[in-house]
Amino acid sequence: MQFALNEDQIAVRDMALAFAAEKIAPHALRWDEEKHFPVEVMREAATLGMGGIYIREDVGGSAMTRFDAALIFEALATGCPTTSAFISIHNMASWMIDAYGSDTQRHKWLPKLCTMELIASYCLTEPGAGSDAAALRTRAVRDGDHYVLNGQKQFISGAGGTDLLVAMVRTGGDGPGGISTLVIDGNTPGVSFGANERKMGWNAQPTRAVIFENARVPVANRLSEEGVGFKIAMAGLDGGRLNITACSLGGAQTALDKARSYMKERKAFGKRLDEFQALQFRLADMAIELEAARTFLWRAAAALDRKDPDATMLCAMAKRFGTDAGFEVANQALQLHGGYGYLSEYGIEKIVRDLRVHQILEGTNEIMRLIVARKLIEGAR
């Protein structure tokens, strides 16, 4: 249990905060408006070790903990939740190669992934398989030393702007036991991409469908054995849920800070807004919710680092609580700005739009409740 950060953790957090303030925050509104994918800035982050946060050192990773990652992604999200979230997705895909790949695979891809010379997307969701990931239908049929892929992935972050696709595909029968994981070069013949989706938020990263039409992928690109893919996907999502929760808290913290500053300047009925007790209480509740969510996040991250038997449940709990709290705090911050909060130049409405999707991705918050309920019921038997 950690109730205070040590010197190394403070240094890691402060490094990420400084990078967010200098390199990300000043450009976040423009990136959102122009739908710009800030690859060069992300590569600058990678020079500070943020391209392979929990990747082993022998391939260029930073070998940090999930707890460290939570601090980093929250800090980066104070500048732009969308950019931080994509770096987290890249780290998750890279970790799958590090954790489940052979030494040959690790040394082939990870050195360039850690520098973000290569950038990775994670491909699980399909048009008919979102929350029910075990029902995915993208088929990989063995043909000698290759698999022939046919199918479609949906809502893939970075698709069309990334180099590698870590994809869950069906090599066997129905259900989770028939799923395997392939690392696919984005330029493989037969791999194409849909149009960049028009989204409510997360505009600083492209989101496209990935389409496989008789795409040939070497069997040597499969991570682990056939049939292990669903296990790999679920293991990756434990950490991904912590990361996206951290991104929610970083965005919400910025929204809260903006609201505090605005309330010191804005007057109504002859008083500054921060002199009204009702609004003071609202600020207090927002800060309490954020602190509770942050404490929960740290607890779950520490459990994942320890490989605690309850880590999956705690990650689901933290994700449900933290992403709901983050969105609500940002929404309240917009309300405290009144009409100005609805204007893009104040930056609040962007945070609200960006954080809304966090309640959906990495497993919807309804699925988080299902995971928790199943664990509780199993434990009661």
Side-chain angles (χ1 to χ4, degrees), residues 131-132 241 316 363-372:
S131 295
D132 186 10
R241 286 163 183 160
T364 66
N365 284 2
E366 289 75 17
I367 293 297
M368 297 307 98
R369 293 178 176 91
L370 182 62
I371 292 170
V372 173

Side-chain angles (χ1 to χ4, degrees), residues 153-176:
K153 296 295 180 179
Q154 188 72 23
F155 304 129
I156 304 305
S157 293
T162 54
D163 305 285
L164 295 178
L165 309 169
V166 179
M168 307 301 152
V169 299
R170 188 163 299 284
T171 54
D174 292 342

Side-chain angles (χ1 to χ4, degrees), residues 119-130:
I119 300 176
S121 288
Y122 171 59
C123 305
L124 176 63
T125 300
E126 296 184 2

Side-chain angles (χ1 to χ4, degrees), residues 39-55:
V39 171
E40 292 307 316
V41 172
M42 292 190 291
R43 286 178 175 149
E44 285 189 61
T47 66
L48 300 175
M50 292 184 267
I53 295 170
Y54 33 82
I55 305 302

